[in-house]
Amino acid sequence: MNQQQTDAVTAVNIQTIQPVREFFGARTDTQVHANATHLIGFGFDGTACFRKGTRNGPDGLRAVSEDIESYSPYLDADLHDHSFYDLGNLSLGTGADIEGQWQHATDQFDALFGPVDLAAHGVRVLTLGGEHSISYAPIRKYLQQYPDLVLLHLDAHADLRDGFLGYHYSHASIIRRSLDHFGPNHELIQYGIRSGTREEYQYMREHQTIRTSRKDFLDSVAAIAADRPIYLTLDLDYFDPAFLPGTGTPEPGGEDFHSYVSLMKILRGKNLVGADVVELSPEIDPTGNSDVFAAKIVRELLIVLNEKGAR
C-alpha cells in the first residue's frame, strides 16, 4: 500500500463506539483515509413501526463475520486481498428522546465525513444499520458530492411517505427525504418494492423510478455509464423472509441471494462509490441464519467497493 492510501484526510478524530469486533479483519481507526473503504455502524431503531431490534444490526453483522469465509466464490475474490477500515459505531448520545438520538448520531456522521471531499480523496463509505432512517446522513452527503449520482434503492417498501407516525425522518420516508436533496441530474432507480400506499405507487409510476421485473432492473443498471457514480441503499427486507426473516417489516414475494449476486457482478464494472445496508434485527431470528445471510451480502458489497478503490 502506498503512502497516499494510508494518509488520513480528516483533521480530528471522532470518538465512535468500539465495535464488538472489526468486520472481516478490517483495520480499526477513528479517522477517514484516502483511497479506502470505511465501515461505520449506525445502530438506531427509534422510528421502527413494527418489530424493533435493528439497533443491534451493526454488531450482529460483525459478530458472525469471523465465522464465514472472506473469499467469495461468486466473484472469485477475497476480502483479505484488500485493506479497509472499521470506524466503529456512531453514538446515540445519552438522552432518551428518539429524535435526539437520531440527530446526535447523524451529527457525528456529518462531523466525521462532512469535511471530506469523497471523490477527490477516493473515500468510500459503507454504513451499517439500524433501520432505514439512518441512511439519510450518508445519502445526503453523497448527493451533495456527486451531482450526477444514481441512487439505487432495493427494498420491499417504497419509503416515499412524507413522514410517518410523527417522524419526519422516518424509516418509511427515507427516499422522500433523499429526494429533498435531488438536483436535476440525480436519478432514482427502485426495485423489489412490493408494499406501499396508492400515492407512493402513483409517484413511482409517474416518475418512472420503479422497475417491476428483475430483467428490467438489471438492464437499467447495466445501461448506466461506466463512470457515472452509483450509491446503493439496501434494506434487507428486499429479500424474501423465507431467506432472511430477521428484519423488522418482512414482506413475502422478495428476492433471493442469487439475484443480488447478479447485481454485484454488474456493479463490478460500474462506479459504485458508496452504500448502506440496513434493517437487520438479530434478535428476531434466533437461529442466526439472517445474520450470516446479511454478512455475506456485506462481504460481496465490500469486495466491489474495494475493487473500485484498487483501480
Side-chain angles (χ1 to χ4, degrees):
M1 179 176 290
N2 61 39
Q3 183 61 40
Q4 184 185 19
Q5 288 177 305
T6 59
D7 283 346
V9 296
T10 49
V12 295
N13 289 319
I14 303 298
Q15 296 305 311
T16 55
I17 299 171
Q18 189 74 15
V20 63
R21 65 170 56 93
E22 70 280 358
F23 190 87
F24 269 120
R27 298 182 180 188
T28 55
D29 206 338
T30 56
Q31 289 186 307
V32 179
H33 292 261
N35 301 311
T37 299
H38 305 76
L39 286 166
I40 186 74
F42 193 155
F44 171 79
D45 61 5
T47 77
C49 59
F50 184 28
R51 304 186 299 186
K52 294 186 183 291
T54 56
R55 62 188 177 278
N56 298 317
D59 275 345
L61 284 162
R62 292 182 176 106
V64 300
S65 68
E66 69 174 5
D67 297 315
I68 62 178
E69 300 289 353
S70 59
Y71 172 74
S72 165
Y74 311 101
L75 300 178
D76 187 22
D78 198 310
L79 265 182
H80 287 167
D81 292 335
H82 302 279
S83 294
F84 56 100
Y85 294 89
D86 191 332
L87 305 182
N89 295 318
L90 299 168
S91 169
L92 302 181
T94 58
D97 175 65
I98 288 174
E99 291 180 313
Q101 292 176 353
W102 180 90
Q103 191 64 59
H104 188 279
T106 297
D107 289 345
Q108 196 172 46
F109 182 97
D110 292 342
L112 186 59
F113 294 104
V116 179
D117 187 326
L118 302 178
H121 292 290
V123 172
R124 296 168 303 285
V125 185
L126 175 53
T127 308
L128 305 176
E131 38 109 315
H132 215 160
S133 69
I134 69 97
S135 304
Y136 176 76
I139 291 175
R140 178 182 59 180
K141 172 65 176 177
Y142 272 90
L143 289 170
Q144 291 168 345
Q145 290 273 281
Y146 295 95
D148 59 341
L149 187 78
V150 178
L151 178 61
L152 296 184
H153 174 217
L154 303 186
D155 203 325
H157 307 90
D159 290 352
L160 286 165
R161 299 170 189 253
D162 191 16
F164 190 59
L165 299 179
Y167 297 110
H168 187 62
Y169 296 97
S170 166
H171 73 104
S173 63
I174 176 60
I175 301 303
R176 178 66 179 268
R177 296 284 71 83
S178 299
L179 290 172
D180 292 343
H181 299 277
F182 262 49
N185 295 318
H186 289 135
E187 182 180 357
L188 172 64
I189 298 175
Q190 298 174 279
Y191 178 59
I193 314 299
R194 53 197 186 275
S195 180
T197 65
R198 185 192 305 272
E199 291 76 19
E200 287 176 299
Y201 271 90
Q202 287 174 340
Y203 178 92
M204 291 186 291
R205 290 165 181 153
E206 178 183 347
H207 293 85
Q208 300 180 350
T209 64
I210 191 171
R211 305 297 184 269
T212 56
S213 77
R214 186 183 302 175
K215 182 180 185 304
D216 286 348
F217 169 64
L218 294 177
D219 286 349
S220 293
V221 178
I224 298 171
D227 60 347
R228 188 175 183 186
I230 299 171
Y231 182 96
L232 172 64
T233 181
L234 170 58
D235 186 326
L236 290 167
D237 63 28
Y238 164 80
F239 298 100
D240 195 274
F243 305 118
L244 198 153
T247 189
T249 50
E251 296 283 351
E255 291 291 300
D256 61 19
F257 186 83
H258 292 288
S259 73
Y260 173 78
V261 169
S262 296
L263 173 63
M264 291 299 103
K265 290 179 177 179
I266 294 173
L267 288 178
R268 288 183 103 176
K270 302 298 179 180
N271 186 21
L272 183 67
V273 293
D276 61 70
V277 177
V278 300
E279 298 284 356
L280 174 68
S281 184
E283 64 193 46
I284 290 176
D285 181 5
T287 70
N289 290 344
S290 296
D291 299 0
V292 173
F293 190 111
K296 290 197 172 186
I297 292 298
V298 174
R299 179 190 67 189
E300 306 303 303
L301 191 50
L302 271 174
I303 287 172
V304 175
L305 282 168
N306 278 308
E307 287 178 344
K308 166 64 172 63
R311 293 177 190 172

